[in-house]
Amino acid sequence: MSGEDGWYDEAAGPLVRPYTITSGRTPGESAKLDLSTQVMTLRQDQEPTGLGPEHLAIVQLCRNPVSIAEIAVYVKIPLGVVRVLCADLIERGLVITRSPTHHPAQAPNLETLQAVLDGLIKY
């Protein structure tokens, strides 16, 4: 592989295209993994077998809860790829996920806004 084709880095060696890592798969709708979803490896008696290096990196990284966004940064692979790989790990029962509870902010009522505005106008 020559250094001119764009898929070779002198320090890192050959670079792997994202679709190669996921075998062309994209994130499915069944796994609702947003950026803040926490991923944690389940305790295993032995190291999992039959996983690619990226899967193994995620399993090792997530011994404590780590967000999908953080995994992408630490493992240095795109978010879409991380979502596919995490879905694989969920399916195999190697990790669990937890989405943060989203409480939509309640908008203040008009009376409160008017009171604030009136208070600002006085001063």
Side-chain angles (χ1 to χ4, degrees):
M1 198 175 234
S2 73
E4 298 172 6
D5 64 7
W7 288 102
Y8 188 83
D9 180 275
E10 291 298 325
L15 301 176
V16 178
R17 294 178 188 236
Y19 67 79
T20 304
I21 297 170
T22 63
S23 300
R25 296 173 294 136
T26 58
E29 288 298 313
S30 60
K32 302 276 188 213
L33 302 173
D34 64 21
L35 294 176
S36 57
T37 298
Q38 299 288 305
V39 180
M40 186 171 173
T41 302
L42 293 172
R43 196 176 289 249
Q44 301 288 322
D45 294 334
Q46 57 191 21
E47 284 295 315
T49 59
L51 297 177
E54 294 82 9
H55 284 104
L56 289 172
I58 293 170
V59 167
Q60 291 172 354
L61 176 65
C62 295
R63 295 194 192 278
N64 292 310
V66 181
S67 73
I68 294 288
E70 291 172 308
I71 294 169
V73 171
Y74 292 134
V75 182
K76 298 178 182 167
I77 53 179
L79 281 167
V81 174
V82 169
R83 288 183 174 120
V84 171
L85 298 178
C86 285
D88 292 345
L89 295 171
I90 293 166
E91 189 175 295
R92 289 188 63 172
L94 297 173
V95 299
I96 56 172
T97 60
R98 185 180 72 180
S99 293
T101 306
H102 293 286
H103 296 289
Q106 189 175 23
N109 63 29
L110 253 37
E111 293 169 357
T112 303
L113 291 174
Q114 189 61 50
V116 170
L117 182 60
D118 292 344
L120 289 173
I121 292 173
K122 286 183 181 178
Y123 293 100

